[in-house]
Amino acid sequence: MRSPAEDQRLRILIRSLDEQRDDPVVYIEMGRLYIAGEDWLGAIRSFERCQSLGHRSGQVAFELGCAYTMMRNWDSAVREWERFVDFDSELRIDNMEQVTRNLINLTNKAWRSYEQQNIESHYKAYPLGVAYFVLGRFQEAVDAVNSLLNYNPASERALNLRARCYRALK
C-alpha cells in the first residue's frame, strides 16, 4: 500500500498535469505510485500514456508488463515484456527498492498461477518463457521454450528467446 507521503506525491503529480501534460516523466512517476498502492489499472493508464508520448524504455515496458500481469491480462503483459527484451534490458534486483521487489514477487506468483491453471499446452509455453526470462528464471524459460520448439521447431520468436536465455545463463 502507498504511504501517506506517496499519496501526497500522487496528488501533487495529478495537479501538475495541467502544466506538464506532455511530460512522460510525470506519467512514469504516477505509474510507480499507482503500483506502490497496487492500483494496477491506474498504473497501466499512466504507463500507456507515457508510451503514447513517445517515451520508450525497458523499465516502463517491464513495469507495464507487471501491471498487466496483476490484471491477469497475459497477452498484453507478454507484448510489453517482448519490448523489454527488445531493449536488451536487464533487471538488477540487488539495487531495487522494496516496492519493486514486492512487485516482482507478486508477478512471479501470478505467473505461477497461470502455469498451474492452464492444462498442458504448447500455447502457454511462449508466454511462460517470456515471463520467466524477464523475471530472471532463465532455466525455466529455456524449458518452456523447448517444449514449444518440440511442437513447432521453426518458431522464430521461440528460437530467438531461447538464444537470449542461453546467453543469460552463461
Side-chain angles (χ1 to χ4, degrees):
M1 299 306 285
R2 273 191 306 267
S3 70
E6 290 170 330
D7 279 337
Q8 178 65 21
R9 279 183 31 216
L10 184 57
R11 284 193 293 278
I12 290 168
L13 283 169
I14 290 170
R15 274 186 256 138
S16 74
L17 281 178
D18 289 337
E19 299 147 17
Q20 300 174 324
R21 189 157 297 285
D22 295 331
D23 184 358
V25 175
V26 172
Y27 293 99
I28 292 170
E29 186 63 24
M30 284 177 61
R32 290 182 176 153
L33 289 169
Y34 283 127
I35 280 176
E38 297 183 12
D39 178 353
W40 312 120
L41 189 57
I44 288 168
R45 288 179 180 152
S46 295
F47 290 132
E48 283 181 344
R49 177 68 178 135
C50 172
Q51 287 181 338
S52 76
L53 293 170
H55 182 83
R56 301 284 182 259
S57 80
Q59 190 63 36
V60 169
F62 169 75
E63 292 178 73
L64 183 53
C66 289
Y68 276 128
T69 293
M70 298 314 297
M71 296 289 292
R72 304 304 195 253
N73 187 336
W74 310 113
D75 292 338
S76 294
V78 168
R79 184 185 66 240
E80 290 304 321
W81 284 347
E82 284 175 327
R83 288 182 186 156
F84 175 82
V85 171
D86 288 345
F87 283 115
D88 281 332
S89 295
E90 226 177 85
L91 284 181
R92 291 185 179 82
I93 294 175
D94 28 334
N95 300 6
M96 289 186 177
E97 298 175 13
Q98 186 59 39
V99 169
T100 309
R101 288 175 188 253
N102 196 32
L103 176 63
I104 291 171
N105 290 335
L106 290 170
T107 304
N108 264 310
K109 287 178 188 170
W111 279 98
R112 280 192 201 104
S113 77
Y114 171 84
E115 181 179 30
Q116 292 168 355
Q117 68 185 241
N118 287 293
I119 15 179
E120 281 304 312
S121 165
H122 61 275
Y123 293 113
K124 75 175 186 180
Y126 182 75
L128 282 172
V130 171
Y132 290 155
F133 178 80
V134 168
L135 295 169
R137 296 162 57 188
F138 302 119
Q139 187 56 56
E140 289 171 273
V142 168
D143 295 342
V145 170
N146 281 339
S147 73
L148 173 61
L149 289 170
N150 288 337
Y151 176 77
N152 180 4
S155 172
E156 234 177 272
R157 292 189 320 172
L159 288 167
N160 183 36
L161 182 58
R162 183 173 66 179
R164 288 176 181 262
C165 291
Y166 284 143
R167 269 195 309 240
L169 284 169
K170 287 184 180 181

